[in-house]
């Protein structure tokens, strides 16, 4: 944990890290009546692959912070804070009349503030892997708006048992500077 904190601290001292390329907000629903709300910041990759046709592959780094709200059968609520960092690959159509559909996939790391969301669901570690698949549309005169859907799964990758994991369906709205 100490090494991860030192790495994050070193990255934040880098002057280019503050040149954010976009911001996002996500809302969604997960397993066992768990709601999620999350904000994020994106840093676009300069590298683009397969640029000859109408589609290209690119990506971005995403840092996020969010809150899960879980409810059990008795109606009790419990909140978890989630902090994550994910590299995301995106297959995106080039700008055709202001619209650019895309597909994306990412696998990153998350730290959660508590290992139980309710009495029925407990995680064995605060460290979780988060992977997602998404689809959406960039639009606007500069493609500055991004509206998409994500299916996300978080689990500890069987580092420790039990490993129940959790799934979320999310709607994501982003603005690119």
């Amino acid at each position: 944990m100490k090494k991860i904190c030192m790495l994050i601290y070193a990255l934040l001292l880098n002057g280019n890290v503050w040149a954010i390329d976009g911001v996002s907000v996500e809302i969604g629903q997960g397993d066992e009546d768990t709601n999620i709300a999350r904000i994020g910041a994106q840093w676009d990759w300069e590298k683009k692959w397969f640029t000859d046709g109408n589609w290209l592959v690119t990506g971005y780094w995403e840092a996020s912070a969010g809150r899960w709200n879980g409810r059990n059968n008795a109606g009790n609520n419990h909140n978890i804070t989630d902090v994550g960092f994910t590299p995301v690959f995106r297959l995106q159509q080039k700008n055709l009349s202001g619209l650019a559909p895309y597909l994306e996939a990412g696998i990153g790391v998350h730290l959660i503030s508590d290992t139980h969301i309710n009495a029925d669901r407990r995680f064995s570690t605060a460290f979780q892997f988060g992977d997602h698949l998404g689809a959406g549309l960039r639009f606007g005169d500069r493609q500055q708006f991004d509206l998409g859907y994500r299916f996300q799964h978080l689990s500890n990758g069987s580092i420790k048992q039990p490993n129940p994991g959790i799934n979320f369906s999310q709607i994501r709205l982003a603005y690119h500077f």
Side-chain angles (χ1 to χ4, degrees):
M1 181 66 157
K2 190 174 182 179
K3 289 180 182 180
I4 291 173
C5 290
M6 293 298 289
L7 176 63
I8 292 170
Y9 182 70
L11 288 171
L12 291 176
L13 288 179
N14 181 347
N16 293 334
V17 76
W18 300 112
I20 296 172
D21 294 311
V23 293
S24 64
V25 62
E26 299 171 21
I27 58 170
Q29 178 111 23
D31 297 338
E32 298 179 20
D33 205 17
T34 303
N35 297 318
I36 186 171
R38 185 183 287 149
I39 58 172
Q42 294 80 43
W43 294 267
D44 294 333
W45 300 346
E46 291 182 24
K47 184 70 176 161
K48 294 176 176 40
W49 298 274
F50 311 110
T51 59
D52 291 340
N54 288 334
W55 292 79
L56 59 88
V57 175
T58 188
Y60 58 92
W61 300 104
E62 180 175 68
S64 63
R67 195 86 158 153
W68 307 357
N69 177 264
R71 204 169 297 120
N72 64 13
N73 293 338
N76 298 327
N77 291 337
H78 187 73
N79 293 316
I80 290 180
T81 301
D82 167 16
V83 177
F85 186 76
T86 306
V88 179
F89 283 92
R90 182 175 275 191
L91 172 65
Q92 180 174 312
Q93 189 174 30
K94 292 181 180 175
N95 185 2
L96 301 174
S97 68
L99 300 175
Y102 65 83
L103 298 172
E104 69 177 24
I107 299 176
V109 295
H110 290 257
L111 290 175
I112 56 176
S113 63
D114 199 346
T115 56
H116 74 281
I117 189 65
N118 58 41
D120 305 321
R121 182 170 292 252
R122 293 190 175 275
F123 303 94
S124 58
T125 62
F127 175 82
Q128 301 286 308
F129 293 102
D131 54 67
H132 77 265
L133 294 174
L137 184 68
R138 285 192 64 169
F139 57 96
D141 58 347
R142 298 181 295 107
Q143 292 183 357
Q144 69 270 29
F145 300 105
D146 182 333
L147 180 62
Y149 167 80
R150 281 185 174 177
F151 176 80
Q152 185 173 43
H153 174 76
L154 283 94
S155 76
N156 70 20
S158 295
I159 292 172
K160 187 175 178 185
Q161 296 298 325
N163 182 28
I166 190 166
N167 298 314
F168 290 105
S169 289
Q170 304 162 330
I171 299 296
R172 180 177 178 270
L173 177 63
Y175 181 81
H176 300 269
F177 302 112

